[in-house]
Amino acid sequence: MANKKSSKERADYKITDELGGLEILDAEYEKQNFSRHSHEGYTIGVIETGAQRFYRTGGHHVAPQDTIILVNADEVHSGHSATEGGWAYRAMYPLPQQLEQLTKDLYLPNYGAPYFPNAVISDPELANQLRLVFNTLENSDNRLLRETLIYGALVKLMGKHGKSRLYPNFETKAQKQLLLVKEFLDDYPQADVSLDDLAKLAAISPYHLVRSFQKEFGLPPHAYQIQSRLRFARKLLKQGHSISDTAQECGFHDQSHFHRHFKKANGYTPGQYIKRR
């Protein structure tokens, strides 16, 4: 497990074999304050003790004990304790393609990856089912049992609380211009690019780009670039790159700068991630 800083600062991270590699986190925090960030995958978590206050694109929420937190893939969110004693939770981070595969297995080929409209849900039966999944992943080596429980819980979650993302494409010209910037930052996260460069790419003024980009994607361009760099960093660390090389390759000023952003977004350090990947 990851090293403990104190009884209230713990982050045990691992990747299971199920669904082609499913990220799992068992954490307990008191002082941790997650900056606004996004994940490539969904966040599906159960609050075990305490309560968490967090932002998810569109508003602020409080998740008390025994509730389920749902954050969609790529959705900007933050998090900190809503109680004096902190909070503990267990979470999984399935990728959109992993959930989409489950819908195909259910003969719903046009459903695609789901969208979860509610950030916090109170569903005691499903919360206990997710707890059983986490406990089984921790204590059982029976692959058939592990996969059966994961599939069952995720299918029930999508069926009860998810919606199809299918909707007509009504992108405006302005949205398409902003998407060009987003795609550039996704494809070249390490690039040393200026605001003027991005504004020229979108064919709009720098001031208008900053305001419109944040309104559309939840973060200003410079903050979104950091999230793209962190995603790229996780891929490099998974491939066996060192922390120092990863920091340099991803465009961070130095290793401490990389370490700080990684910890604020994920709740654990790059070193802990390497140990448990």
Side-chain angles (χ1 to χ4, degrees):
M1 296 297 182
N3 294 330
K4 294 184 180 181
K5 285 187 176 181
S6 71
S7 61
K8 289 294 182 70
E9 300 294 327
R10 172 179 60 84
D12 301 331
Y13 167 85
K14 64 181 178 182
I15 298 179
T16 70
D17 293 332
E18 285 70 28
L19 291 177
L22 182 62
E23 297 187 2
I24 302 292
L25 181 67
D26 182 351
E28 184 177 13
Y29 297 120
E30 185 174 10
K31 305 298 184 182
Q32 173 72 23
N33 188 354
F34 290 94
S35 59
R36 289 196 179 187
H37 64 284
S38 61
H39 296 294
E40 186 178 5
Y42 294 81
T43 298
I44 301 171
V46 178
I47 302 296
E48 299 288 18
T49 60
Q52 181 185 12
R53 186 184 305 276
F54 67 102
Y55 169 85
R56 195 190 95 168
T57 305
H60 295 269
H61 312 272
V62 174
Q65 183 176 341
D66 298 327
T67 59
I68 298 172
I69 286 178
L70 296 174
V71 181
N72 297 292
D74 290 326
E75 198 164 32
V76 174
H77 60 288
S78 64
H80 58 89
S81 179
T83 57
E84 186 173 341
W87 84 104
Y89 67 101
R90 288 188 284 181
M92 63 176 70
Y93 302 87
L95 298 172
Q97 57 265 35
Q98 292 173 323
L99 294 190
E100 187 172 1
Q101 182 60 49
L102 291 181
T103 65
K104 291 179 180 178
D105 292 342
L106 291 171
Y107 303 101
L108 299 172
N110 295 321
Y111 187 87
Y115 174 78
F116 297 108
N118 296 317
V120 181
I121 58 175
S122 179
D123 187 331
E125 181 182 355
L126 182 56
N128 287 331
Q129 190 171 350
L130 287 170
R131 286 192 178 99
L132 179 59
V133 170
F134 293 128
N135 290 337
T136 303
L137 291 175
E138 182 68 28
N139 300 308
S140 175
D141 293 327
N142 187 319
R143 292 176 58 188
L144 180 59
L145 175 62
R146 289 159 61 100
E147 291 180 351
T148 299
L149 292 177
I150 289 175
Y151 277 55
L154 291 178
V155 167
K156 178 175 286 189
L157 175 67
M158 290 188 292
K160 293 184 68 176
H161 303 287
K163 293 185 177 180
S164 172
R165 278 187 180 273
L166 291 181
Y167 45 82
N169 184 1
F170 293 134
E171 289 178 2
T172 64
K173 179 181 177 181
Q175 288 173 322
K176 290 179 180 179
Q177 290 171 308
L178 295 175
L179 279 174
L180 286 176
V181 175
K182 178 180 181 294
E183 289 170 357
F184 178 87
L185 294 175
D186 286 335
D187 293 340
Y188 305 99
Q190 74 279 23
D192 182 15
V193 63
S194 70
L195 181 60
D196 282 340
D197 293 334
L198 295 178
K200 289 177 182 177
L201 178 64
I204 56 179
S205 72
Y207 174 74
H208 183 62
L209 172 60
V210 172
R211 291 190 60 191
S212 301
F213 193 95
Q214 180 163 359
K215 182 178 180 181
E216 187 72 21
F217 302 114
L219 293 171
H222 74 277
Y224 187 86
Q225 183 187 56
I226 290 175
Q227 298 308 310
S228 296
R229 288 178 173 180
L230 291 174
R231 294 183 188 183
F232 185 37
R234 290 168 69 93
K235 292 179 181 179
L236 293 181
L237 292 174
K238 282 182 181 180
Q239 294 169 3
H241 291 253
S242 69
I243 294 174
S244 59
D245 287 346
T246 297
Q248 183 176 5
E249 185 69 22
C250 292
F252 289 100
H253 296 309
D254 52 45
Q255 190 170 328
S256 63
H257 189 233
F258 168 51
H259 185 282
R260 182 171 68 255
H261 282 294
F262 195 96
K263 178 70 163 56
K264 284 182 70 67
N266 296 296
Y268 46 85
T269 67
Q272 291 173 325
Y273 180 73
I274 288 176
K275 290 179 181 178
R276 293 296 161 189
R277 61 183 171 83

